[in-house]
Amino acid sequence: MEVLRPQLLIIDGRNYRKNPIQEKTYQHEEDDEDFYQDPMEYADEPCDAYEVEQTPQGFRSTVSAPNLLYEHIVGKRGDTRKKIEMETKTSISIPKPGQDGEIVIIGQHRNGVISARTRIDVLLDTFRRKQPFTHFLAFFLNETEVQEGFLKFQEEVLEKCCMDRGVDSSIFQNPKKLHLTIGMLVLLSEQEIQQTCEMLQRCKEEFIKLQELVDRVLERFQTSGLIVKEWNSVKLHATVMNTLFRKDPNVV
């Protein structure tokens, strides 16, 4: 890792440095890896970074996450959870596989609960990034004028470039699928899909100009953690030609 340029994770609008993680492969468990090997460092973590409830037994905080990611917090043979509990002096309750619910952290010290919550959030973010995209945000260009203009463009290209290698109708987008992409999503539960629908409805009511709309939509989804932050503004574009379209049986 470059010391002066460490990899940063943005969670709830805050930046965290990500330490390198060793991955071990076991002889009979090649597909089951323990990604939490080294302690994570969090200096001067503010006490109000998370909502922590004081109880008669100490302090308590909860984490909402898709149950698909629970196994990564538990770790192989429960090692990841045990390590976090030992280092933060907390107790972590995680729903069983296939069950919905919240991850519950309890401890005698507020800072310990916050530290455990931070580590869990970083692990959740890390493994969410490893999941394939499931959805994308886009505006469909379904106006008749746009589709007619695209077909005219396609006709002219094929006429002028018909002798060029690889240029044929199969690399053009289906006119009915033309769209402006805002960002790619990883939605791992029905709750996250519902959250996405509600956020889009609020964005529709609050934003007016197209560029402002897409930038603010992107910002809101980045803050929620549903989109990985890679840029601050959307470069609006529509893909009209791509050789990958040849693999799409719906392209005509």
Side-chain angles (χ1 to χ4, degrees):
M1 178 182 69
E2 174 61 51
V3 176
L4 298 180
R5 296 182 179 85
Q7 181 179 355
L8 298 178
L9 297 179
I10 301 175
I11 301 176
D12 293 335
R14 289 173 283 111
N15 293 331
Y16 294 96
R17 182 183 70 193
K18 180 182 177 183
N19 287 345
I21 300 176
Q22 297 178 344
E23 300 186 8
K24 292 183 178 179
T25 301
Y26 293 81
Q27 183 177 358
H28 300 291
E29 299 173 321
E30 291 82 1
D31 297 329
D32 185 14
E33 298 174 321
D34 186 359
F35 289 87
Y36 185 65
Q37 301 292 335
D38 300 322
M40 300 181 184
E41 299 176 6
Y42 304 93
D44 302 323
E45 175 69 21
C47 291
D48 59 351
Y50 299 108
E51 182 177 345
V52 179
E53 174 189 1
Q54 186 167 7
T55 68
Q57 292 75 33
F59 296 89
R60 180 180 184 272
S61 183
T62 59
V63 185
S64 297
N67 56 33
L68 181 66
L69 300 179
Y70 290 161
E71 62 179 311
H72 301 302
I73 307 303
V74 176
K76 192 183 288 91
R77 297 181 297 276
D79 290 346
T80 301
R81 174 171 57 184
K82 293 175 183 176
K83 189 175 181 67
I84 298 176
E85 289 177 328
M86 179 183 67
E87 294 180 351
T88 61
K89 295 180 173 59
T90 59
S91 176
I92 302 173
S93 176
I94 302 175
K96 295 181 180 180
Q99 295 183 354
D100 294 322
E102 294 181 323
I103 299 173
V104 180
I105 309 165
I106 58 175
Q108 294 296 316
H109 304 285
R110 182 184 181 89
N111 286 343
V113 171
I114 291 175
S115 179
R117 169 67 187 270
T118 301
R119 299 181 185 208
I120 289 175
D121 275 353
V122 171
L123 285 171
L124 290 173
D125 182 79
T126 298
F127 287 102
R128 179 183 287 276
R129 289 169 181 261
K130 295 179 180 292
Q131 302 299 317
F133 294 123
T134 61
H135 299 74
F136 69 97
L137 293 175
F139 290 102
F140 277 94
L141 302 175
N142 51 11
E143 293 292 330
T144 302
E145 294 82 359
V146 174
Q147 295 184 0
E148 290 178 349
F150 167 74
L151 290 174
K152 182 178 180 180
F153 165 76
Q154 176 179 330
E155 181 180 350
E156 292 177 354
V157 170
L158 292 176
E159 180 181 351
K160 295 179 181 180
C161 306
C162 61
M163 301 301 294
D164 293 348
R165 180 180 179 182
V167 178
D168 56 50
S169 61
S170 67
I171 67 173
F172 285 85
Q173 176 64 284
N174 186 323
K176 296 180 180 179
K177 295 183 178 181
L178 288 173
H179 61 272
L180 299 176
T181 302
I182 301 176
M184 307 301 293
L185 295 168
V186 176
L187 304 180
L188 303 177
S189 67
E190 290 298 326
Q191 181 180 359
E192 291 188 343
I193 294 176
Q194 181 62 33
Q195 179 186 357
T196 296
C197 294
E198 294 173 356
M199 290 177 64
L200 285 175
Q201 183 60 38
R202 290 196 297 270
C203 290
K204 178 181 177 181
E205 297 170 354
E206 296 175 11
F207 309 141
I208 302 176
K209 297 180 181 180
L210 180 59
Q211 186 64 54
E212 177 193 9
L213 172 62
V214 295
D215 287 344
R216 296 289 294 277
V217 169
L218 178 67
E219 178 185 2
R220 186 159 294 186
F221 275 85
Q222 288 173 338
T223 301
S224 71
L226 296 176
I227 288 183
V228 176
K229 185 171 183 179
E230 296 179 336
W231 53 81
N232 296 321
S233 181
V234 178
K235 293 183 179 180
L236 286 172
H237 70 281
T239 301
V240 297
M241 298 172 65
N242 194 320
T243 56
L244 294 177
F245 292 157
R246 288 198 178 103
K247 300 178 181 180
D248 187 350
N250 296 317
V251 172
V252 295

